Amino acid sequence: MSLADELLADLEEAGEEEDELYPGGGGGESDGEPGENQADGGLEDIPEEMELDYSATESVTSIAKLRHSKPFAEIMDKIGHYVGNQRKNSEVSGPVEADPEYRLIVAANNLTVEIDNELNIIHKFVRDKYSKRFPELESLVPNALDYIRAVKELGNSLEKCKNNETLQQILTNATIMVVSVTASTTQGTMLGDDELQRLEEACDMALELNQSKHRIYEYVESRMSFIAPNLSIIVGASTAAKIMGVAGGLTNLSKMPACNLMLLGAQRRTLSGFSSTSLLPHTGYIYHCDVVQSLPPDLRRKAARLVAAKCTLSARVDSFHESVDGKVGYDLKEEIERKFDKWQEPPPVKQVKPLPAPLDGQRKKRGGRRYRKMKERLGLTEIRKHANRMTFAEIEDDAYQEDLGFSLGQLGKSGSGRVRQAQVNDSTKARISKSLQGADVTSFTFKLFSHIQMQLLSVWFPC
């Protein structure tokens, strides 16, 4: 078997598998209730629908069937019933997933996704039909709902762009100016009455679906304090409803780790033709909630991780119907706000500190007999003390000719009458050796004084 034959065989097997999965050939869509199966497809069906060409389609009801479907009418009727009859928190018992109103909230969240898909389909239909009249409007108004409102307001008469109060509520003044200038030079042709009527029908359907989506959001947000009070206190009712709907219920949300909860609602791809540089990776509903967006941009990722961790804790509390008054949610939110304030505090002023005290402590002073003897040897004698003394207002003679300024002070002058004596403490006098205690102290002292006088005379009167 050649390579081409193998490829054809694989294609035939793939076709047989599709026939087994969808025997009716409708892509898994039932005859009367297309809205039920669209919920299974979700956002994955958007690119396939947008690739289709609706220019040959006659009516919008042949491609957009959600508005007149039975599930859509049932969900909207139930929402009206529960809005008129508010329930109390004490009426909920057992798992929250078993409560009928909770199942309605989950179904309403899934319905909002289907409404978004339907709005994209209607926008493609209106764009293909109105490109015959004003092809440049698609590039000037990229938003789907704004484009549909502008088409309904303009119609065939493009001269309505100037001084149109209704159009000023839809578009900005700069966009209106560009649209009016472009409309004056467009190459489009006039639309027939049937085509214009089909366009108005499609626009009315899109606006009704958008109004129903906002009504669902208001209902879900009003009942989030009944389903998940603690989670709603932290991130708000709208964000709580979104992350709970994407997670598949409050029980699944409570089992989810914080790192995965932070990624719920992340934008993985964008529409073709638009730049993806503005999309932030790994950022979901929590990153775009008001609590995180109130911080500076450099702290938002860190704040999103903190809020996701606290949302996980609050979801686990709500899943067990604990703290129905929201006390846990208030405590967690106060903790979040304290940390936010701590992050935004300015750094402390750097103070100039003095140098620290040296580690070397005061040295220990030596004591003892040997140290006292050394001080006695090096201490000032009486002769040195007299030599250091000076008499003021008297001119003294120099002791040496070659050493000017050196004098003997009061040494040798009348009135001094003292000779050299060793400075002895009273404590040392008591320690005279026993050999000297019995000697003739008087003769020894006379000989010592005579020796000292001879030494002084040899110094003062050299030969």
Side-chain angles (χ1 to χ4, degrees), residues 240-389:
K242 291 177 182 178
I243 60 178
M244 194 179 70
V246 174
L250 187 58
T251 302
N252 293 337
L253 184 64
S254 64
K255 298 176 182 178
M256 189 175 297
C259 57
N260 293 349
L261 189 144
M262 186 177 63
L263 301 179
L264 293 179
Q267 299 179 3
R268 297 184 180 179
R269 60 177 180 264
T270 183
L271 298 177
S272 59
F274 294 93
S275 174
S276 61
T277 56
S278 61
L279 297 178
L280 297 174
H282 310 295
T283 56
Y285 293 131
I286 292 182
Y287 181 86
H288 296 286
C289 68
D290 297 336
V291 181
V292 178
Q293 291 297 316
S294 62
L295 293 178
D298 55 338
L299 295 176
R300 288 176 184 172
R301 285 188 179 275
K302 184 178 179 181
R305 290 192 292 268
L306 175 63
V307 174
K310 302 306 178 184
C311 287
T312 303
L313 297 177
S314 60
R316 291 168 184 172
V317 172
D318 292 331
S319 64
F320 288 96
H321 305 290
E322 299 291 338
S323 182
V324 292
D325 56 349
K327 183 178 182 302
V328 175
Y330 284 116
D331 294 341
L332 293 176
K333 189 171 183 179
E334 288 179 2
E335 183 180 353
I336 292 172
E337 291 176 351
R338 283 198 304 269
K339 290 189 177 182
F340 285 176
D341 296 339
K342 184 68 176 177
W343 294 347
Q344 298 181 82
E345 285 183 358
V349 180
K350 193 173 182 179
Q351 299 178 354
V352 179
K353 297 182 180 180
L355 293 176
L359 299 177
D360 298 337
Q362 188 177 7
R363 293 184 179 180
K364 185 178 180 181
K365 294 182 179 180
R366 283 198 57 143
R369 181 180 177 185
R370 184 183 302 174
Y371 186 70
R372 289 194 301 270
K373 290 290 184 182
M374 183 187 68
K375 289 183 69 176
E376 291 173 6
R377 289 196 307 269
L378 301 178
L380 289 176
T381 62
E382 292 294 332
I383 295 176
R384 179 57 63 184
K385 289 180 180 179
H386 283 284
N388 289 340
R389 290 173 183 168

Side-chain angles (χ1 to χ4, degrees), residues 141 145-147 149-150 153 165-172 176:
V141 185
L145 285 175
D146 293 343
Y147 181 86
R149 292 191 183 101
E153 181 64 24
E165 296 181 357
T166 306
L167 198 62
Q168 290 178 357
Q169 298 176 359
I170 302 172
L171 307 176
T172 61
I176 293 174

Side-chain angles (χ1 to χ4, degrees), residues 326-455:
K327 183 178 182 302
V328 175
Y330 284 116
D331 294 341
L332 293 176
K333 189 171 183 179
E334 288 179 2
E335 183 180 353
I336 292 172
E337 291 176 351
R338 283 198 304 269
K339 290 189 177 182
F340 285 176
D341 296 339
K342 184 68 176 177
W343 294 347
Q344 298 181 82
E345 285 183 358
V349 180
K350 193 173 182 179
Q351 299 178 354
V352 179
K353 297 182 180 180
L355 293 176
L359 299 177
D360 298 337
Q362 188 177 7
R363 293 184 179 180
K364 185 178 180 181
K365 294 182 179 180
R366 283 198 57 143
R369 181 180 177 185
R370 184 183 302 174
Y371 186 70
R372 289 194 301 270
K373 290 290 184 182
M374 183 187 68
K375 289 183 69 176
E376 291 173 6
R377 289 196 307 269
L378 301 178
L380 289 176
T381 62
E382 292 294 332
I383 295 176
R384 179 57 63 184
K385 289 180 180 179
H386 283 284
N388 289 340
R389 290 173 183 168
M390 297 176 61
T391 303
F392 292 97
E394 290 185 5
I395 299 175
E396 298 182 353
D397 298 331
D398 296 333
Y400 302 100
Q401 188 67 28
E402 64 271 5
D403 193 2
L404 299 178
F406 178 76
S407 64
L408 298 177
Q410 293 184 358
L411 188 62
K413 293 182 179 182
S414 61
S416 63
R418 293 186 180 184
V419 293
R420 178 176 180 176
Q421 293 180 353
Q423 187 176 5
V424 181
N425 295 332
D426 295 337
S427 60
T428 59
K429 288 179 180 180
R431 292 187 179 94
I432 300 174
S433 62
K434 294 180 179 181
S435 61
L436 293 178
Q437 288 180 4
D440 189 3
V441 181
T442 306
S443 60
F444 175 78
T445 304
F446 178 75
K447 291 179 181 180
L448 180 61
F449 286 167
S450 300
H451 179 71
I452 291 173
Q453 288 177 358
M454 292 299 293
Q455 292 293 332

